[in-house]
Structures are given as structure tokens and as C-alpha cells.
Amino acid sequence: MKLIKTFLLTSVLGLALANATPHTLDKSHSEVGFSVKHLMITNVKGEFTDYDAKIDFDYKTKSFKMLEATIKAASVDTGIEKRDNHLRSEDFFLAEKYPNITFKMKSYKPDGDEGMMIGDLTIRGITKEVKLKIEDLGTIKDLKGNNRVGFTIEGKINRMDYDLKWNKVLEAGGFAVGETVKLIVDVQAIEQ
């Protein structure tokens, strides 16, 4: 009986994975962005311009079977060169020693056109589990007949968890840079 249960479970998992197909990231229609409080009153936004991802997506169940991403820390861009150089330094990303920021999905729970993804995010060699909300999940056949999936990833991390600890105390109270970083990632990928 145990052998039959194992066989059935393996077969079901195998079928689920068989329906997932690899996708290539469409970088011209994707963006890896973030937002963090500055001087306690406004948000500074930025993005990473050099990144790639491996995505296996099942159109039938609207589920991710795999999502792994690599972001080049040195590609951080907030529109101000001096600030970007500071972010690349040992005060923040220490990009020379830790060139890659990585994410590896551990699980995904779909809920219609949304879902919850759990995975490991590694920054500066420190890995923490994060929960990311998937929103606006949509699929379409493009003008050339290719299947595409598009979605938005949103989440929050505490930068202190990743040793991104630089800050300055403000005279009126508070800090120059907030601890919470909002992640906002827009993805479009093409089925292979």
C-alpha cells in the first residue's frame, strides 16, 4: 500500500511539473524596483538595471513551479550617481565583494490572478526567507503567437536583516534612511 501511495504522489507531482514550461525574461518590459523612506518624509525610488531570471510557469493552474532571479548589485540606479556609488559601497551592498543579489522560490500558492510566493532572498551573503505577493497575474498570446505571462511582485524587507545598516540621526529626530524597503518588480516573460 505504501508503494502505491508513493507511486501516485510521484505521478501527480510529475504531471504538475510536466505542465510547467520554461520562460525567458523579457527585459524590455520588466523592471526590478524598490522604494525606501528618506528623511522620514518622502520615498526615494530606484531600480536595478542588470538582472535575469529563470521561470517555470503552468498556464493551466496559473502557478509558478520555479522562479530564480539574479540581480547585479552594482547595477543599482536611483538617478543620482553619488548616491548610487554610496549604495554600491561597504555601507550598503558592498557590491565588489557581493556582486549578486539572488532569490530562489521555495513555494507558491495561487489565488486566481494573485498568489503568495515564499523564497530565499540573499543580499551581502545573508539569506532570509521572504514572502512576496504576486498581483495582476495575466497571460496572453503576443503578436507573434508566443505565450506570455506578466505579473507584479510586491514585498517588504528590513534592510537591517541584510547588514545594510548605514544611517544618520536627524536633528529633529528619526533617521535619514528608513529601515523598511518596499520591493516592486514588474515581470513579463515569454514561453520557450
Side-chain angles (χ1 to χ4, degrees), residues 6-18:
T6 303
F7 174 74
L8 289 174
L9 180 60
T10 304
S11 298
V12 168
L13 288 173
L15 284 174
L17 289 174

Side-chain angles (χ1 to χ4, degrees), residues 17 20 23 54-59 61-67 105-110 114-117 134-135 137-138 149-153 187 189:
L17 289 174
H23 286 65
K54 294 178 185 176
I55 302 168
D56 280 356
F57 181 77
D58 184 341
Y59 285 83
T61 62
K62 288 193 168 184
S63 288
F64 295 88
K65 303 305 178 193
M66 180 183 72
L67 194 153
M105 184 186 95
K106 293 163 73 173
S107 67
Y108 181 71
K109 183 177 180 184
E114 296 187 346
M116 186 62 66
M117 186 176 287
I134 304 296
E135 297 183 333
L137 179 64
V149 61
F151 52 95
T152 300
I153 301 171
V187 176

Side-chain angles (χ1 to χ4, degrees), residues 45-152:
K45 295 181 171 96
E47 66 177 322
F48 293 92
T49 59
D50 189 357
Y51 53 88
D52 206 354
K54 294 178 185 176
I55 302 168
D56 280 356
F57 181 77
D58 184 341
Y59 285 83
K60 187 179 271 188
T61 62
K62 288 193 168 184
S63 288
F64 295 88
K65 303 305 178 193
M66 180 183 72
L67 194 153
E68 294 179 3
T70 301
I71 300 163
K72 297 296 182 185
S75 74
V76 67
D77 184 0
T78 63
I80 298 175
E81 187 176 351
K82 185 177 179 182
R83 178 169 54 208
D84 296 343
N85 288 334
H86 188 204
L87 289 171
R88 293 177 188 114
S89 77
E90 64 185 75
D91 285 340
F92 289 98
F93 292 115
L94 190 52
E96 192 171 302
K97 183 174 180 182
Y98 301 104
N100 295 325
I101 297 168
T102 61
F103 174 79
K104 185 172 184 177
M105 184 186 95
K106 293 163 73 173
S107 67
Y108 181 71
K109 183 177 180 184
D111 185 13
D113 291 340
E114 296 187 346
M116 186 62 66
M117 186 176 287
I118 296 174
D120 288 331
L121 178 64
T122 303
I123 302 173
R124 277 184 72 131
I126 299 168
T127 302
K128 300 283 184 182
E129 186 175 272
V130 294
K131 291 182 181 180
L132 302 172
K133 187 173 182 181
I134 304 296
E135 297 183 333
D136 302 323
L137 179 64
T139 60
I140 195 166
K141 197 168 284 282
D142 68 17
L143 299 173
K144 294 181 180 179
N146 300 308
N147 287 325
R148 288 181 179 251
V149 61
F151 52 95
T152 300

